[in-house]
Amino acid sequence: QVQLMESGGGSVQAGGSLRLSCVASGQTFTTCVGWFRQAPGKEREGVATTDISNPGQPKYADSVKGRFTVSRDSAKNTHYLQMNNLTAEDTAMYYCAAAKALFDISCPWTLYNTWGQGTQVTVTS
């Protein structure tokens, strides 16, 4: 069972940047790791996901393409979400998520079933 611990949230002005970190303990080479967010009054949505079927080509939600980037430090079992050019619409609780890829190694949003505790990102204008 993968355990996840996020950090790095905070408050930033519009146009600024933040980097979130997620330590994924127990991750294996078949573990999908992604990022989700949930704004007040809205459903949780996928932000970025690894794609085991296409390593090095993570998938992003349209709303964050070109602004958010995921990366990984394998030696530290740590995943990062670099968020640039933030807007007020990016304000949300951000969650690191994981899932074991058994039959679908493209890591679709619906596969994820393990969640971190979340970290708040607030963008002020």
Side-chain angles (χ1 to χ4, degrees), residues 111-122:
L111 186 67
Y112 285 92
N113 56 10
T114 300
W115 308 91
Q117 84 286 357
T119 186
Q120 179 68 38
V121 171
T122 302

Side-chain angles (χ1 to χ4, degrees), residues 55-108:
Q57 296 292 329
K59 296 178 289 191
Y60 299 93
D62 289 342
S63 58
V64 307
K65 280 181 182 177
R67 300 188 298 121
F68 290 14
T69 304
V70 293
S71 61
R72 176 183 178 183
D73 185 334
S74 298
K76 297 180 179 180
N77 285 332
T78 301
H79 298 258
Y80 302 99
L81 179 67
Q82 178 67 44
M83 306 183 294
N84 298 328
N85 194 20
L86 287 161
T87 72
E89 286 67 38
D90 296 315
T91 294
M93 184 72 79
Y94 283 72
Y95 298 90
C96 181
K100 188 170 181 62
L102 294 176
F103 304 107
D104 190 343
I105 60 173
S106 68
C107 303

Side-chain angles (χ1 to χ4, degrees), residues 10-18 85-88 122-125:
S11 182
V12 64
Q13 287 190 329
S17 299
L18 280 175
N85 194 20
L86 287 161
T87 72
T122 302
V123 183
T124 59
S125 57

